[in-house]
Amino acid sequence: MIITGQPLVLSITGAPAQATPIRRQTPAVSTFRTADTWYENLEFDHNTVWLSNLTGNAVEQYRLDGTFLQSIPLRAPGAIRKGPGGVLYVNFGNDSPETRPQPSGVVRLTPKPEVFIGGDTLSSANGAEFDARGHLYVSDPFTGLYEFDRRGAMVRHLDIAYPNGIVTIGTTVFTNIVIDPQSAIVRITGNRQTRLELGAPDKGLDDLAVGPDGKLYVTAYTSGELIKVDPWTGAHCTLLTGLKNPTAARFLPGTRTMFLTQASGTVLKVRL
């Protein structure tokens, strides 16, 4: 049963202790951009890439060759996602609750920011993703995970501690837990949660992407890793180490190349 506007406590299970090992490949890495700022998230649109400049309070658009196109002011932007009709949705107010009463929510770029979700629903809008129905999921590390319909009305609030990045496969939702002693990803199917644990110590899982192979590619902010995870078994391997506070990854549509943002200000291109 869906309870509109109320916390929903889901049943919790663990992933199988033993899973088939996942194949590790060695990616090719190059630098797309370096700046003195915190890049938090990204999205692709019409052969361009949009970057969330968290500390610069703006979203920036670049050609894929690195040419700068435009910057749109937006306070503390978080995830950028393409929604129904190809419109870009951007979280804002992705910072500490101590900044309240400054607002946090979601805008649509049409082309200027137009508030889609506002008010006091969210305290720190961080990750986001649309599912197959066009419903938008937004994570707030301080208050939980939220589902909104196409009109922006809240469908449900999932009482999950410290959710961060979000992806969907069909109507199944995956969210990283940014503070967790076992570095967990939570898979949400209907009213059921399953923990996929990557192990101690806490890696500070940030955002994640679904690759063309159907696997999850997870950025670990604290440990500086990019981790490949089977979304159904929890089997995983580390693809990259030594990253400088990676925050998010996104695959260029139709390719095996992802762009990876970092709080250090460097955006990488990672070719699998």
Side-chain angles (χ1 to χ4, degrees):
M1 180 176 65
I2 294 177
I3 305 174
T4 303
Q6 297 295 322
L8 180 63
V9 179
L10 309 182
S11 64
I12 301 176
T13 61
Q18 300 296 325
T20 302
I22 196 166
R23 187 173 67 87
R24 183 189 185 280
Q25 65 265 59
T26 302
V29 181
S30 60
T31 299
F32 173 73
R33 174 171 174 75
T34 298
D36 184 19
T37 193
W38 177 316
Y39 282 120
E40 173 68 13
N41 218 295
L42 73 158
E43 179 62 295
F44 296 100
D45 180 49
H46 294 101
N47 293 315
T48 70
V49 60
W50 288 83
L51 303 176
S52 289
N53 187 338
L54 180 65
T55 50
N57 295 300
V59 289
E60 302 168 354
Q61 186 184 25
Y62 296 84
R63 292 196 180 101
L64 297 182
D65 64 5
T67 303
F68 172 77
L69 294 176
Q70 64 173 317
S71 177
I72 299 176
L74 187 66
R75 190 181 72 81
I80 310 174
R81 293 294 179 262
K82 186 177 289 188
V87 175
L88 290 173
Y89 292 70
V90 189
N91 292 350
F92 67 92
N94 177 27
D95 47 15
S96 169
E98 283 74 22
T99 62
R100 303 289 282 170
Q102 294 188 69
S104 178
V106 183
V107 298
R108 302 179 350 139
L109 298 184
T110 59
K112 294 183 179 180
E114 170 190 278
V115 174
F116 178 65
I117 298 167
D120 292 325
T121 303
L122 301 164
S123 68
S124 182
N126 190 302
E129 189 60 282
F130 288 89
D131 69 10
R133 301 165 297 176
H135 284 202
L136 175 63
Y137 289 82
V138 178
S139 67
D140 185 324
F142 306 102
T143 61
L145 191 68
Y146 296 81
E147 179 186 355
F148 300 92
D149 66 17
R150 286 170 171 261
R151 301 167 299 165
M154 186 166 68
V155 175
R156 59 176 177 168
H157 169 215
L158 285 68
D159 190 14
I160 298 174
Y162 307 117
N164 200 299
I166 308 171
V167 293
T168 60
I169 299 177
T171 57
T172 299
V173 181
F174 299 82
T175 184
N176 286 345
I177 306 303
V178 70
I179 302 175
D180 188 281
Q182 292 298 322
S183 306
I185 301 167
V186 175
R187 184 176 68 226
I188 303 160
T189 307
N191 290 347
R192 180 175 179 172
Q193 291 182 17
T194 301
R195 283 172 57 89
L196 308 174
E197 296 180 347
L198 307 189
D202 186 357
K203 297 177 181 295
L205 303 186
D206 201 318
D207 216 298
L208 68 170
V210 179
D213 56 0
K215 301 298 190 290
L216 304 179
Y217 290 80
V218 181
T219 54
Y221 181 93
T222 303
S223 63
E225 296 172 301
L226 177 67
I227 306 170
K228 180 180 178 180
V229 183
D230 187 297
W232 313 112
T233 69
H236 58 278
C237 66
T238 301
L239 297 182
L240 293 174
T241 60
L243 299 172
K244 297 179 180 180
N245 302 124
T247 51
R250 200 78 172 162
F251 278 88
L252 182 62
T255 76
R256 296 182 61 83
T257 297
M258 74 177 82
F259 281 41
L260 188 151
T261 55
Q262 300 184 102
S264 62
T266 299
V267 181
L268 301 175
K269 292 174 67 175
V270 180
R271 172 71 180 176
L272 300 181

